[in-house]
Amino acid sequence: MKVVAFNGSPNKEGNTYHAIKLVAAELEKEGVEVEIVHVGNKAIRGCIACYQCVKNQDEQCAIKDEVNEWVQKMKGADAIILGSPVHYSGVGGTMKSFLDRAFFVAGVNGGLLRHKVGAAVVAVRRSGGVTTFDELNHFLNYSEMLLPTSNYWNVIHGRVPGEALQDEEGVQIMRVLGKNMVWLMRLLENGKGVVPEPEREAKVMTNFIR
């Protein structure tokens, strides 16, 4: 089994990285391969709503950059971790641009992430962690992904790189998340061919203007 984790921090080895590594340690103990992709220091443009990904159906964004490679990594993984620092009580801009495009491409190309395991983790200095965690979970929920849980919100606190490792409760949260994540992945693996998946429904779109 393989997990791909996306680090949305500009600092490659900041507290977001340490949060991901804590989860990854539990996965790796159980023989799961974990790849960490650094997103936060890239120049990623936001979605321009050109809808070429809908028209072409080639699992590609019309903007040619790293996002297309990352979409294929997501497709090939059994599970995905989204990690972000907190910028003004929300996901960092580069990470948000990546997520908007990647999840749109995945959704309109047959639901590439449907029924994969997905987890969000957040590193924060003081406040805004829960709102950022909620924002990341919007992507996972919309894509019909399956979310493992921990014993509190998946938020760890620290200011300078590595300081989050002193947050004993946060460290436990990430550890429990990793254990629950690998357990859910194994349930899915063992259930394939035994428990039938529900059929995917075509998306219904409405608005409220009459």
Side-chain angles (χ1 to χ4, degrees), residues 14-24 81 83 121-123 154-156 164-165 174-175:
N15 287 316
T16 306
Y17 169 80
H18 288 290
I20 291 170
K21 287 292 290 182
L22 288 166
V23 180
I81 299 171
V121 299
V122 173
N154 301 339
V155 179
I156 196 166
L165 298 176
M174 299 304 154
R175 185 170 64 245

Side-chain angles (χ1 to χ4, degrees), residues 3-4 23 74 77-82 103 113-121 133 136-137 139-141 143-149 154 177 180-181 184-185 188:
V3 174
V4 177
V23 180
M74 296 166 84
D78 298 289
I80 296 162
I81 299 171
L82 304 179
F103 276 80
L113 306 180
R114 184 173 184 260
H115 293 171
K116 291 182 184 290
V117 173
V121 299
F133 177 57
L136 291 172
N137 280 328
F139 292 93
L140 306 178
N141 276 271
S143 302
E144 294 188 65
M145 297 184 74
L146 305 175
L147 280 62
T149 57
N154 301 339
L177 174 63
N180 287 340
M181 191 172 185
L184 180 55
M185 291 170 67
L188 288 170

Side-chain angles (χ1 to χ4, degrees), residues 18-169:
H18 288 290
I20 291 170
K21 287 292 290 182
L22 288 166
V23 180
E26 299 302 321
L27 297 167
E28 290 167 343
K29 284 180 187 176
E30 301 297 328
V32 177
E33 178 187 353
V34 181
E35 178 185 2
I36 300 177
V37 177
H38 192 207
V39 175
N41 68 341
K42 305 294 193 302
I44 303 299
R45 186 177 179 181
C47 179
I48 58 173
C50 67
Y51 288 86
Q52 288 300 305
C53 58
V54 180
K55 178 182 177 181
N56 296 336
Q57 291 293 296
D58 59 358
E59 301 177 2
Q60 297 280 304
C61 177
I63 302 170
K64 302 306 178 186
D65 58 13
E66 295 96 332
V67 171
N68 286 321
E69 175 190 345
W70 298 340
V71 168
Q72 292 307 306
K73 286 182 180 291
M74 296 166 84
K75 179 184 176 182
D78 298 289
I80 296 162
I81 299 171
L82 304 179
S84 180
V86 175
H87 292 180
Y88 292 92
S89 292
V91 175
T94 301
M95 185 69 168
K96 180 66 163 57
S97 294
F98 156 59
L99 294 174
D100 283 343
R101 289 170 53 198
F103 276 80
F104 190 33
V105 170
V108 300
N109 279 267
L112 302 180
L113 306 180
R114 184 173 184 260
H115 293 171
K116 291 182 184 290
V117 173
V121 299
V122 173
V124 63
R125 179 187 70 84
R126 184 172 174 85
S127 61
V130 173
T131 55
T132 303
F133 177 57
D134 178 59
E135 188 177 0
L136 291 172
N137 280 328
H138 292 173
F139 292 93
L140 306 178
N141 276 271
Y142 187 87
S143 302
E144 294 188 65
M145 297 184 74
L146 305 175
L147 280 62
T149 57
S150 188
N151 60 4
Y152 204 72
W153 321 125
N154 301 339
V155 179
I156 196 166
H157 289 76
R159 185 176 67 86
V160 297
E163 192 172 61
L165 298 176
Q166 299 174 43
D167 176 8
E168 293 183 13
E169 184 175 2

